[in-house]
Amino acid sequence: MEKLLTFIVLGLVFVSTAESRDYKSYKEQIPYSAINCRKHVAYLTDFGGKGDGVTSNTAAFKAAVDSLSKVASDGGALLVVPPGKWLTGTFSLASHFTLYVHKKAVILASQKESDYPLIDPLPSYGSGRDAPGKRFSSLIVGTNLTDVVVTGGNGTIDGQGEIWWKNFKAKKLKHTRPYLIEILHSTQVQISDLTLTNSPSWHVHPTYCTHVIIERLTILAPVTVPNTDGINPDSCTDTRIRDSYVVSGDDCIAVKSGWDQYGIRYAKPTERLSIRGFTCISPDSAVIALGSEMSGGIRDVRAEGVRALNSQSGIRIKTGAGRGGYVKDIYVRDVEMDTMKYVFWMNGDYGSHPDPGFDPKALPEITNINYRDMVGKNVTIVGSLSGIKGDAFTNICISNVTAELVAEKKKGGKGLLFGDEKAKKLPWSCVDVGGVSSKVTPKACPELVEKEEVNCAFPSDTLAIDEVELKKCFVQA
Ligand SMILES: *[C@@H]1O[C@H](CO)[C@@H](O)[C@H](O)[C@H]1NC(C)=O
Ligand SMILES: *[C@@H]1O[C@H](CO)[C@@H](O)[C@H](O)[C@H]1NC(C)=O
Ligand SMILES: *[C@@H]1O[C@H](CO)[C@@H](O)[C@H](O)[C@H]1NC(C)=O
Ligand SMILES: *[C@@H]1O[C@H](CO)[C@@H](O)[C@H](O)[C@H]1NC(C)=O
């Protein structure tokens, strides 16, 4: 029986290859980089896919993944999404599987709610973020997988989020919006070499995963739309983010680990996250945010080589009473910023709770936060650091940071600052925080005790995930 099944499966793959001969005309040998190359290759068209931008490919994706998952233990398979516009609702990935989006391919997310099955909220959140209860499945999902790759030649995955943003703003959604890519409980995950755009909500959401590689992503969303975060590692260990570029209406990277009592109970931290070579534009949000959902803890984050333009804040810690958890051992260096409202921002009074069942006595521990070697131009506020009364944020270290403040507006001229805005213009304001500063211009607040010769820490070792080398693979596409 098993032999017969294998025969049928292999037969299917063979027939598939024969059927896709129509594509020969533009097929070329294309190199790509991946954690693993695959033995089998098939094309979405082999499974009835139609790249006309109108026909739904949900069933074709399902048939393809069901079929190709059968060769998982025989070298795995790669599914090519060929040139064209491929409309689809939710579909799942498989283990030892690669989804390859050709440079001239666009995966278009369906705008119909019924194309996104309802699923339970994440256990570490206890509730949907947009509305209580169930949430819509994400467009591309993976659960309990090993060795899964989503890559391409910079092909596009377009979330077509307009309708979702509109309904969210009008408070018309009964459930939480889909994300673009959500991978849960998986290990050896790669998402790379893609253009992701217009997600209904967050773009990339690896959750409860280990060994995650995110590289060379271009993520673009209008800067005026809600919650279109770029990359949100959530309760993941050993993650690297490299050479990516995000323009968004929300945080470019938001590091998370669950929400209040649910996150505390689930207790899965985000640990060992390495970010290198990252560019962000986010006029209303952060370049790198830690939180606000951080109840499972966030520890050992290293970020360097970060560029930011026209963003609200550089590195932001968002938390509050009820969250519990911790944010500690955070290291950031080599950051260049231009046109920033804040360089450093910490809020200990961030509201937003899953339900009234949170414990206001669950206080977060924020400690050992290290920021160094940064320059900022056209900055309004250098540091606005507010801890929690009776739960100060401690061991904050800021060294070798120079910020040029935004030029004063002419007295009586247009755009004069008044009232509130004028008061907020002080370059530093600190409360319920403690630590040291060294070579910071303009001079840091007195809560960060000034020292002559301090270089804030940055680990000299590298993480195992930093060392992973991608293999050079080829696809006929
Ligand atoms: C994934 O694995 C967990 C246990 O590790 C299990 O509870 C869950 O049902 C699995 N989910 C799926 C979709 O297989
Ligand atoms: C993808 O786009 C980036 C930025 O435009 C470019 O540097 C990179 O070479 C492209 N990669 C491929 C495989 O085309
Ligand atoms: C400086 O920042 C302000 C916003 O604070 C912006 O309006 C202005 O265009 C920026 N100037 C330059 C030269 O980038
Ligand atoms: C200070 O930071 C700048 C980058 O902003 C860097 O080029 C320089 O080497 C740093 N100085 C020291 C002493 O580390």
Side-chain angles (χ1 to χ4, degrees):
M1 181 62 204
E2 214 178 289
K3 264 197 180 138
L4 183 64
L5 193 69
T6 314
F7 184 72
I8 292 170
V9 171
L10 291 180
L12 200 69
V13 171
F14 178 76
V15 170
S16 306
T17 323
E19 271 176 9
S20 51
R21 289 240 167 85
D22 325 347
Y23 280 93
K24 272 275 147 71
S25 49
Y26 57 73
K27 264 190 206 166
E28 45 174 327
Q29 196 76 4
I30 304 174
Y32 70 99
S33 304
I35 47 177
N36 282 306
C37 308
R38 307 298 184 200
K39 184 164 151 191
H40 303 270
V41 181
Y43 301 81
L44 188 60
T45 43
D46 301 343
F47 302 91
K50 284 211 166 34
D52 58 10
V54 183
T55 310
S56 172
N57 288 284
T58 311
F61 275 112
K62 183 174 187 323
V65 174
D66 284 353
S67 168
L68 297 174
S69 64
K70 297 189 174 119
V71 294
S73 56
D74 177 39
L78 177 144
L79 177 67
V80 177
V81 180
K85 290 191 167 154
W86 310 87
L87 185 70
T88 182
T90 296
F91 69 93
S92 299
L93 304 170
S95 290
H96 307 292
F97 174 82
T98 299
L99 180 72
Y100 182 91
V101 187
H102 188 277
K103 67 175 183 238
K104 290 183 186 148
V106 182
I107 296 180
L108 284 177
S110 161
Q111 295 185 309
K112 276 197 234 149
E113 287 191 0
S114 58
D115 280 327
Y116 301 86
L118 289 175
I119 54 171
D120 286 333
L122 291 166
S124 58
Y125 280 70
S127 174
R129 291 179 81 267
D130 296 342
K134 302 238 176 200
R135 59 192 191 114
F136 292 105
S137 290
S138 300
L139 180 68
I140 301 180
V141 300
T143 306
N144 294 4
L145 305 181
T146 299
D147 176 19
V148 58
V149 177
V150 184
T151 189
N154 280 352
T156 300
I157 304 175
D158 182 348
Q160 304 208 90
E162 301 80 4
I163 183 83
W164 297 97
W165 306 328
K166 207 174 107 209
N167 287 340
F168 172 77
K169 281 186 180 160
K171 300 193 173 11
K172 280 209 245 161
L173 289 176
K174 292 200 182 66
H175 309 285
T176 296
R177 285 166 285 169
Y179 303 129
L180 203 61
I181 303 178
E182 183 173 75
I183 313 287
L184 306 176
H185 297 290
S186 297
T187 187
Q188 298 179 53
V189 177
Q190 175 185 338
I191 302 169
S192 71
D193 303 286
L194 294 167
T195 302
L196 309 178
T197 183
N198 300 328
S199 177
S201 181
W202 304 345
H203 284 80
V204 181
H205 189 215
T207 311
Y208 321 135
C209 289
T210 59
H211 297 97
V212 180
I213 292 183
I214 294 172
E215 299 194 347
R216 295 176 301 279
L217 294 184
T218 301
I219 300 180
L220 307 170
V223 295
T224 50
V225 302
N227 311 111
T228 49
D229 301 27
I231 304 166
N232 291 7
D234 200 339
S235 295
C236 288
T237 54
D238 299 293
T239 302
R240 84 182 191 209
I241 298 173
R242 294 273 182 280
D243 306 321
S244 292
Y245 171 62
V246 179
V247 181
S248 173
D250 212 312
D251 301 326
C252 287
I253 295 178
V255 185
K256 296 179 183 282
S257 67
W259 205 5
D260 288 3
Q261 69 272 31
Y262 303 100
I264 294 170
R265 196 180 314 142
Y266 203 68
K268 243 189 186 309
T270 287
E271 281 184 313
R272 297 190 296 276
L273 166 64
S274 159
I275 300 167
R276 284 188 205 157
F278 185 73
T279 303
C280 168
I281 298 180
S282 175
D284 292 314
S285 289
V287 177
I288 301 176
L290 305 162
S292 78
E293 302 88 339
M294 38 60 69
S295 304
I298 296 173
R299 170 184 236 165
D300 195 352
V301 175
R302 306 151 179 219
E304 57 189 317
V306 176
R307 305 291 170 257
L309 274 172
N310 188 20
S311 294
Q312 187 188 41
S313 57
I315 310 133
R316 184 171 183 198
I317 297 177
K318 306 189 243 185
T319 188
R323 285 286 190 273
Y326 54 82
V327 175
K328 57 183 167 192
D329 310 335
I330 308 299
Y331 310 95
V332 186
R333 71 177 174 194
D334 181 16
V335 181
E336 265 178 35
M337 290 159 278
D338 190 344
T339 305
M340 308 290 292
K341 179 94 189 281
Y342 302 87
V343 173
F344 308 114
W345 199 11
M346 298 184 189
N347 310 77
D349 61 348
Y350 204 86
S352 114
H353 300 284
D355 56 48
F358 71 94
D359 173 8
K361 292 202 202 74
L363 299 177
E365 183 195 2
I366 313 299
T367 192
N368 194 25
I369 312 294
N370 301 275
Y371 300 145
R372 62 184 267 191
D373 306 342
M374 305 188 185
V375 287
K377 277 192 211 157
N378 202 26
V379 166
T380 305
I381 294 166
V382 187
S384 172
L385 314 181
S386 314
I388 297 173
K389 205 172 161 59
D391 177 38
F393 298 175
T394 58
N395 287 317
I396 298 167
C397 180
I398 302 182
S399 69
N400 184 29
V401 171
T402 306
E404 268 173 37
L405 297 180
V406 60
E408 282 285 343
K409 299 242 160 61
K410 242 200 261 153
K411 246 194 185 159
K414 264 203 169 159
L416 184 71
L417 298 172
F418 41 83
D420 260 6
E421 240 180 311
K422 197 169 196 169
K424 275 197 284 186
K425 251 185 40 122
L426 285 173
W428 284 90
S429 61
C430 302
V431 57
D432 299 314
V433 296
V436 300
S437 63
S438 180
K439 301 197 168 61
V440 174
T441 316
K443 204 161 133 68
C445 54
E447 287 79 1
L448 303 184
V449 177
E450 193 176 8
K451 303 263 160 139
E452 186 58 31
E453 246 351 297
V454 171
N455 291 316
C456 300
F458 196 96
S460 55
D461 63 337
T462 50
L463 299 172
I465 194 74
D466 287 321
E467 307 285 339
V468 175
E469 282 197 34
L470 297 182
K471 294 173 186 159
K472 191 121 209 143
C473 310
F474 291 89
V475 59
Q476 185 81 9

